[in-house]
Amino acid sequence: MSTRESHCILLGGARLRSEVVMDDRKVVRAALGGDEEAFADLVRRYSGGLHRAVARIVLDDEEAWDVVQMAFIKAWQRLDRYNPRWSFSTWLYRIGTNLAIDLVRSRSSRQKAHRAGNEHQLRLVGGTEETTTRLEHGEVDGILRDLVRYLTPQQRSAFIMREIEDFETAEVAEILGCSTATVRNHVFQARKTLRREIQNRFPEFVPEDQRGQK
Amino acid sequence: MSCEVYRELLPAYLDESLDEVRRTGFRSHLRSCVGCREFAIGEEPTLVFSLADAVDPSPDRIEACVTAVVAGIHQERLERRLRGSRRPWLAAAAAVVLAIVAASMWWLKSDDGVSSPTLQANDQGVEISSPVATEEIPAATEPPPRVEVEMVQEEVRVYQYAIGDDGTTGAVFIVNPAMEL
Ligand SMILES: [Zn+2]
């Protein structure tokens, strides 16, 4: 299920995304007036999805919660600077992703990335029952967790937002504060690196005639 | 759309030239159709990640996050109010006055054989220390107390002064900003 679909389901079934965005803007207006309960509703609505994305970037479940909490507090502090041209979730993901990228950078400068990876505890399900024939759900997430560490923080974020969380290119560009061309480039580079690592380390996912190719 | 059509979309998907609507259709088909997914993974191994999806956190974990965020907002608001006062010299002066008051009271009370004032923190985050016994100040005749605040790292110190019948009374509250305000 994509982030977007889960938001709609959370808000009562067949609601259109535009309705969710409208509702968010109403809630943001209330929060701007100091309504903490309205803001708490936004936390309830988006913390799960943001945590999932951030955990895939920082590779640590608990640190991801710290990032999510910090992102919401920053969002509250800067609520008057929120541009309603973008959905609240895009704006929130921008704050959260920047914090996550900062964390990965500061951590890699301390040479601790390998340790954090071992502590990652994301639980996992796939889609529907019939999608489970060949691949175990946990297996796919385990591979992703093993391999994203080969990506730069920007590539990681772009690939996860685009390929896992289903954000549109323009939204990912807004989240990362770069152009859509740069987003595409990050996704291409990420895919190239991930493909190479899958071929090296998980050749069972590569058809026999393609194994060994780079 | 048939599986055949979806498979023809694969190159456009990979070079990011699909429009967002067709892209969403392609991805949801990949999630639900084993045949197309295995075909796609054969062409591009990284499409294995189209299966990656995590459970939403438990409602308890979400509520814990809500609580932490609300506490953070309270702390932020308190810090902003304190910064807004822009009179750090007043807090410093108040601290000096308080120290003099506390010292003189301590000195006087020591002479009377009364125990010295205590300053203790407790786990609830609120601490009140009164250098003098409260019964010495009749509440009805008390002038409005003067209150000063200062931030000391993560701690907020609130100084309250009141002029009692018998002289000056000072009290210090140390407030944990994470507390409900
Ligand atoms: Zn199909």
PDB file of all heavy atoms in Angstrom, chain A residues 127-145:
ATOM      1  N   GLY A 127       2.162  -6.998  -0.115  1.00  0.00           N
ATOM      2  CA  GLY A 127       0.826  -6.595  -0.548  1.00  0.00           C
ATOM      3  C   GLY A 127      -0.182  -7.642  -0.130  1.00  0.00           C
ATOM      4  O   GLY A 127      -0.289  -7.991   1.035  1.00  0.00           O
ATOM      5  N   THR A 128      -0.906  -8.165  -1.113  1.00  0.00           N
ATOM      6  CA  THR A 128      -1.950  -9.140  -0.809  1.00  0.00           C
ATOM      7  C   THR A 128      -1.373 -10.541  -0.779  1.00  0.00           C
ATOM      8  O   THR A 128      -0.228 -10.759  -1.137  1.00  0.00           O
ATOM      9  CB  THR A 128      -3.048  -9.030  -1.867  1.00  0.00           C
ATOM     10  OG1 THR A 128      -2.406  -9.076  -3.138  1.00  0.00           O
ATOM     11  CG2 THR A 128      -3.793  -7.722  -1.736  1.00  0.00           C
ATOM     12  N   GLU A 129      -2.206 -11.502  -0.371  1.00  0.00           N
ATOM     13  CA  GLU A 129      -1.751 -12.884  -0.205  1.00  0.00           C
ATOM     14  C   GLU A 129      -1.122 -13.467  -1.475  1.00  0.00           C
ATOM     15  O   GLU A 129      -0.122 -14.136  -1.426  1.00  0.00           O
ATOM     16  CB  GLU A 129      -2.927 -13.770   0.242  1.00  0.00           C
ATOM     17  CG  GLU A 129      -3.164 -13.715   1.733  1.00  0.00           C
ATOM     18  CD  GLU A 129      -1.902 -14.016   2.538  1.00  0.00           C
ATOM     19  OE1 GLU A 129      -1.312 -15.091   2.320  1.00  0.00           O
ATOM     20  OE2 GLU A 129      -1.511 -13.184   3.368  1.00  0.00           O
ATOM     21  N   GLU A 130      -1.739 -13.200  -2.628  1.00  0.00           N
ATOM     22  CA  GLU A 130      -1.254 -13.859  -3.841  1.00  0.00           C
ATOM     23  C   GLU A 130       0.091 -13.332  -4.318  1.00  0.00           C
ATOM     24  O   GLU A 130       0.673 -13.873  -5.233  1.00  0.00           O
ATOM     25  CB  GLU A 130      -2.311 -13.788  -4.967  1.00  0.00           C
ATOM     26  CG  GLU A 130      -2.575 -12.408  -5.483  1.00  0.00           C
ATOM     27  CD  GLU A 130      -3.783 -11.775  -4.820  1.00  0.00           C
ATOM     28  OE1 GLU A 130      -4.002 -12.013  -3.609  1.00  0.00           O
ATOM     29  OE2 GLU A 130      -4.518 -11.061  -5.485  1.00  0.00           O
ATOM     30  N   THR A 131       0.586 -12.262  -3.688  1.00  0.00           N
ATOM     31  CA  THR A 131       1.883 -11.738  -4.111  1.00  0.00           C
ATOM     32  C   THR A 131       3.043 -12.459  -3.415  1.00  0.00           C
ATOM     33  O   THR A 131       4.184 -12.096  -3.612  1.00  0.00           O
ATOM     34  CB  THR A 131       2.011 -10.234  -3.797  1.00  0.00           C
ATOM     35  OG1 THR A 131       1.990 -10.074  -2.391  1.00  0.00           O
ATOM     36  CG2 THR A 131       0.903  -9.431  -4.432  1.00  0.00           C
ATOM     37  N   THR A 132       2.744 -13.450  -2.606  1.00  0.00           N
ATOM     38  CA  THR A 132       3.796 -14.040  -1.777  1.00  0.00           C
ATOM     39  C   THR A 132       4.407 -15.294  -2.381  1.00  0.00           C
ATOM     40  O   THR A 132       5.146 -15.992  -1.707  1.00  0.00           O
ATOM     41  CB  THR A 132       3.253 -14.412  -0.389  1.00  0.00           C
ATOM     42  OG1 THR A 132       2.230 -15.386  -0.562  1.00  0.00           O
ATOM     43  CG2 THR A 132       2.708 -13.210   0.322  1.00  0.00           C
ATOM     44  N   THR A 133       4.092 -15.607  -3.645  1.00  0.00           N
ATOM     45  CA  THR A 133       4.497 -16.910  -4.155  1.00  0.00           C
ATOM     46  C   THR A 133       5.995 -17.167  -4.079  1.00  0.00           C
ATOM     47  O   THR A 133       6.416 -18.144  -3.487  1.00  0.00           O
ATOM     48  CB  THR A 133       4.044 -17.084  -5.613  1.00  0.00           C
ATOM     49  OG1 THR A 133       4.414 -15.908  -6.315  1.00  0.00           O
ATOM     50  CG2 THR A 133       2.549 -17.282  -5.696  1.00  0.00           C
ATOM     51  N   ARG A 134       6.804 -16.259  -4.659  1.00  0.00           N
ATOM     52  CA  ARG A 134       8.217 -16.596  -4.751  1.00  0.00           C
ATOM     53  C   ARG A 134       9.053 -15.894  -3.685  1.00  0.00           C
ATOM     54  O   ARG A 134       9.999 -16.461  -3.158  1.00  0.00           O
ATOM     55  CB  ARG A 134       8.727 -16.218  -6.144  1.00  0.00           C
ATOM     56  CG  ARG A 134      10.174 -16.626  -6.349  1.00  0.00           C
ATOM     57  CD  ARG A 134      10.620 -16.335  -7.756  1.00  0.00           C
ATOM     58  NE  ARG A 134      11.907 -15.671  -7.748  1.00  0.00           N
ATOM     59  CZ  ARG A 134      12.466 -15.164  -8.827  1.00  0.00           C
ATOM     60  NH1 ARG A 134      11.843 -15.210  -9.981  1.00  0.00           N
ATOM     61  NH2 ARG A 134      13.644 -14.579  -8.745  1.00  0.00           N
ATOM     62  N   LEU A 135       8.674 -14.674  -3.372  1.00  0.00           N
ATOM     63  CA  LEU A 135       9.501 -13.898  -2.462  1.00  0.00           C
ATOM     64  C   LEU A 135       8.853 -13.794  -1.098  1.00  0.00           C
ATOM     65  O   LEU A 135       7.660 -13.541  -0.995  1.00  0.00           O
ATOM     66  CB  LEU A 135       9.682 -12.483  -3.015  1.00  0.00           C
ATOM     67  CG  LEU A 135      10.416 -12.397  -4.343  1.00  0.00           C
ATOM     68  CD1 LEU A 135      10.145 -11.067  -4.997  1.00  0.00           C
ATOM     69  CD2 LEU A 135      11.891 -12.598  -4.116  1.00  0.00           C
ATOM     70  N   GLU A 136       9.621 -14.002  -0.099  1.00  0.00           N
ATOM     71  CA  GLU A 136       9.129 -13.747   1.247  1.00  0.00           C
ATOM     72  C   GLU A 136       9.169 -12.240   1.471  1.00  0.00           C
ATOM     73  O   GLU A 136      10.125 -11.577   1.077  1.00  0.00           O
ATOM     74  CB  GLU A 136      10.018 -14.452   2.276  1.00  0.00           C
ATOM     75  CG  GLU A 136       9.975 -15.966   2.196  1.00  0.00           C
ATOM     76  CD  GLU A 136       8.590 -16.520   2.461  1.00  0.00           C
ATOM     77  OE1 GLU A 136       7.889 -15.969   3.333  1.00  0.00           O
ATOM     78  OE2 GLU A 136       8.199 -17.484   1.783  1.00  0.00           O
ATOM     79  N   HIS A 137       8.134 -11.738   2.153  1.00  0.00           N
ATOM     80  CA  HIS A 137       8.060 -10.287   2.337  1.00  0.00           C
ATOM     81  C   HIS A 137       9.274  -9.736   3.068  1.00  0.00           C
ATOM     82  O   HIS A 137       9.879  -8.773   2.663  1.00  0.00           O
ATOM     83  CB  HIS A 137       6.811  -9.925   3.134  1.00  0.00           C
ATOM     84  CG  HIS A 137       5.568 -10.305   2.431  1.00  0.00           C
ATOM     85  ND1 HIS A 137       5.332  -9.940   1.137  1.00  0.00           N
ATOM     86  CD2 HIS A 137       4.506 -11.018   2.833  1.00  0.00           C
ATOM     87  CE1 HIS A 137       4.159 -10.414   0.776  1.00  0.00           C
ATOM     88  NE2 HIS A 137       3.635 -11.075   1.780  1.00  0.00           N
ATOM     89  N   GLY A 138       9.624 -10.380   4.181  1.00  0.00           N
ATOM     90  CA  GLY A 138      10.735  -9.897   4.989  1.00  0.00           C
ATOM     91  C   GLY A 138      12.026  -9.903   4.202  1.00  0.00           C
ATOM     92  O   GLY A 138      12.905  -9.072   4.414  1.00  0.00           O
ATOM     93  N   GLU A 139      12.097 -10.841   3.259  1.00  0.00           N
ATOM     94  CA  GLU A 139      13.295 -10.979   2.454  1.00  0.00           C
ATOM     95  C   GLU A 139      13.554  -9.704   1.638  1.00  0.00           C
ATOM     96  O   GLU A 139      14.669  -9.207   1.592  1.00  0.00           O
ATOM     97  CB  GLU A 139      13.088 -12.162   1.501  1.00  0.00           C
ATOM     98  CG  GLU A 139      14.350 -12.837   1.063  1.00  0.00           C
ATOM     99  CD  GLU A 139      14.046 -14.025   0.150  1.00  0.00           C
ATOM    100  OE1 GLU A 139      12.880 -14.471   0.116  1.00  0.00           O
ATOM    101  OE2 GLU A 139      14.952 -14.466  -0.529  1.00  0.00           O
ATOM    102  N   VAL A 140      12.511  -9.200   1.007  1.00  0.00           N
ATOM    103  CA  VAL A 140      12.659  -8.008   0.170  1.00  0.00           C
ATOM    104  C   VAL A 140      13.102  -6.816   1.014  1.00  0.00           C
ATOM    105  O   VAL A 140      14.022  -6.092   0.653  1.00  0.00           O
ATOM    106  CB  VAL A 140      11.335  -7.677  -0.560  1.00  0.00           C
ATOM    107  CG1 VAL A 140      11.434  -6.319  -1.248  1.00  0.00           C
ATOM    108  CG2 VAL A 140      11.005  -8.762  -1.559  1.00  0.00           C
ATOM    109  N   ASP A 141      12.459  -6.649   2.168  1.00  0.00           N
ATOM    110  CA  ASP A 141      12.833  -5.502   2.993  1.00  0.00           C
ATOM    111  C   ASP A 141      14.240  -5.674   3.536  1.00  0.00           C
ATOM    112  O   ASP A 141      14.976  -4.703   3.677  1.00  0.00           O
ATOM    113  CB  ASP A 141      11.834  -5.319   4.140  1.00  0.00           C
ATOM    114  CG  ASP A 141      11.754  -3.868   4.549  1.00  0.00           C
ATOM    115  OD1 ASP A 141      11.441  -3.033   3.685  1.00  0.00           O
ATOM    116  OD2 ASP A 141      12.052  -3.549   5.718  1.00  0.00           O
ATOM    117  N   GLY A 142      14.608  -6.922   3.837  1.00  0.00           N
ATOM    118  CA  GLY A 142      15.958  -7.195   4.323  1.00  0.00           C
ATOM    119  C   GLY A 142      17.007  -6.827   3.279  1.00  0.00           C
ATOM    120  O   GLY A 142      18.044  -6.249   3.591  1.00  0.00           O
ATOM    121  N   ILE A 143      16.721  -7.161   2.017  1.00  0.00           N
ATOM    122  CA  ILE A 143      17.660  -6.834   0.929  1.00  0.00           C
ATOM    123  C   ILE A 143      17.773  -5.318   0.776  1.00  0.00           C
ATOM    124  O   ILE A 143      18.874  -4.769   0.664  1.00  0.00           O
ATOM    125  CB  ILE A 143      17.200  -7.471  -0.407  1.00  0.00           C
ATOM    126  CG1 ILE A 143      17.250  -8.996  -0.299  1.00  0.00           C
ATOM    127  CG2 ILE A 143      18.071  -6.999  -1.562  1.00  0.00           C
ATOM    128  CD1 ILE A 143      16.551  -9.694  -1.449  1.00  0.00           C
ATOM    129  N   LEU A 144      16.622  -4.655   0.814  1.00  0.00           N
ATOM    130  CA  LEU A 144      16.621  -3.192   0.683  1.00  0.00           C
ATOM    131  C   LEU A 144      17.477  -2.569   1.785  1.00  0.00           C
ATOM    132  O   LEU A 144      18.308  -1.687   1.546  1.00  0.00           O
ATOM    133  CB  LEU A 144      15.178  -2.678   0.751  1.00  0.00           C
ATOM    134  CG  LEU A 144      14.976  -1.172   0.591  1.00  0.00           C
ATOM    135  CD1 LEU A 144      15.460  -0.693  -0.772  1.00  0.00           C
ATOM    136  CD2 LEU A 144      13.509  -0.795   0.773  1.00  0.00           C
ATOM    137  N   ARG A 145      17.278  -3.066   3.008  1.00  0.00           N
ATOM    138  CA  ARG A 145      18.019  -2.546   4.159  1.00  0.00           C
ATOM    139  C   ARG A 145      19.524  -2.779   3.982  1.00  0.00           C
ATOM    140  O   ARG A 145      20.340  -1.923   4.286  1.00  0.00           O
ATOM    141  CB  ARG A 145      17.508  -3.268   5.407  1.00  0.00           C
ATOM    142  CG  ARG A 145      18.018  -2.753   6.710  1.00  0.00           C
ATOM    143  CD  ARG A 145      17.836  -3.795   7.798  1.00  0.00           C
ATOM    144  NE  ARG A 145      16.532  -4.439   7.705  1.00  0.00           N
ATOM    145  CZ  ARG A 145      16.283  -5.697   8.053  1.00  0.00           C
ATOM    146  NH1 ARG A 145      17.235  -6.469   8.497  1.00  0.00           N
ATOM    147  NH2 ARG A 145      15.081  -6.212   7.953  1.00  0.00           N
TER     148      ARG A 145
END
